[in-house]
Amino acid sequence: MKVFARFILFTVLRWKLVGEFPTQKKYVVIAAPHTSWIDFPIAILARMASGIMINYIGKDSLFKGPFGFFFRALGGTPVDRSKNNRLVDAIVDIFNSREEFRLGLSPEGTRKKVEHWKTGFYYIAKGAEVPIVMATLDFENKQIKISEPYYTTDNKDKDFEHFRGFFQNVKGKNPELS
């Protein structure tokens, strides 16, 4: 599968992977900007091309009906975003109960334009005591750039400044939504 994913991503679609997903067993990946449905297949191809399993969560409606099995097979877990269900705590428990777990999230939490990122990824990483790895989805340059692991500090503002700096000038599929 890795060879097939690399062929599609690099040869057919002509994307570049700059950097590598770390091989360590636990971390949170934040991928941005998230402006189109096409981000998902590009991210899945990048994950498969790297050979590193990265799980994800998605709105529960994606996991219903005839395609639910497909999204689960790709490493997805459904979440009900309409309720306050202590999702951060539940995901921290998953990190703590598994020997290996990497979770990919969009800090925007949606494909729509947002003024502020959601903070769940940050509190998951802090609670699970795992680093955050950043990955761009830069459609202008057709590249996915992957950062080194970043360990959060006690200064949330400084940490978010670091995150935003990594994604600065990255153009999503629909840049007006970035």
Side-chain angles (χ1 to χ4, degrees):
M1 216 46 174
K2 182 177 178 178
V3 172
F4 178 71
R6 292 177 74 80
F7 175 75
I8 297 295
L9 187 64
F10 304 141
T11 306
V12 175
L13 299 176
R14 301 206 184 282
W15 278 74
K16 297 178 211 82
L17 200 56
V18 179
E20 296 179 356
F21 287 110
T23 57
Q24 65 196 80
K25 295 182 182 240
K26 295 183 181 186
Y27 52 86
V28 173
V29 178
I30 56 171
H34 183 30
T35 64
S36 169
W37 67 270
I38 199 77
D39 299 343
F40 178 75
I42 297 293
I44 292 296
L45 282 169
R47 178 195 79 180
M48 292 170 75
S50 74
I52 302 288
M53 179 53 147
I54 299 169
N55 296 89
Y56 65 94
I57 57 174
K59 58 185 173 181
D60 56 354
S61 62
L62 291 174
F63 295 85
K64 293 178 182 169
F67 297 107
F69 79 94
F70 176 72
F71 289 111
R72 287 181 207 281
L74 290 175
T77 300
V79 295
D80 182 354
R81 298 189 304 184
S82 67
K83 298 178 185 173
N84 180 3
N85 52 8
R86 302 181 52 87
L87 185 58
V88 168
D89 294 335
I91 295 173
V92 168
D93 289 344
I94 293 171
F95 269 101
N96 291 335
S97 69
R98 295 191 184 175
E99 186 178 315
E100 185 172 315
F101 189 69
R102 300 173 197 93
L103 179 65
L105 298 168
S106 162
E108 298 104 329
T110 182
R111 292 183 307 259
K112 298 173 186 159
K113 185 171 182 66
V114 297
E115 294 301 317
H116 304 285
W117 284 355
K118 303 245 182 215
T119 57
F121 75 90
Y122 184 77
Y123 292 108
I124 290 167
K126 284 191 90 60
E129 298 178 357
V130 299
I132 295 171
V133 173
M134 295 161 282
T136 64
L137 295 171
D138 187 348
F139 280 78
E140 182 176 61
N141 298 305
K142 287 191 114 175
Q143 74 179 204
I144 300 161
K145 185 172 137 189
I146 302 165
S147 77
E148 293 292 321
Y150 179 85
Y151 289 86
T152 60
T153 69
D154 290 328
N155 185 334
K156 181 179 165 191
D157 291 336
K158 176 182 166 260
D159 291 341
F160 272 74
E161 187 176 306
H162 177 80
F163 302 143
R164 283 189 204 93
F166 184 82
F167 295 103
Q168 192 171 357
N169 300 319
V170 174
K171 301 278 191 278
K173 174 76 171 155
N174 298 306
E176 69 278 6
L177 299 177
S178 295

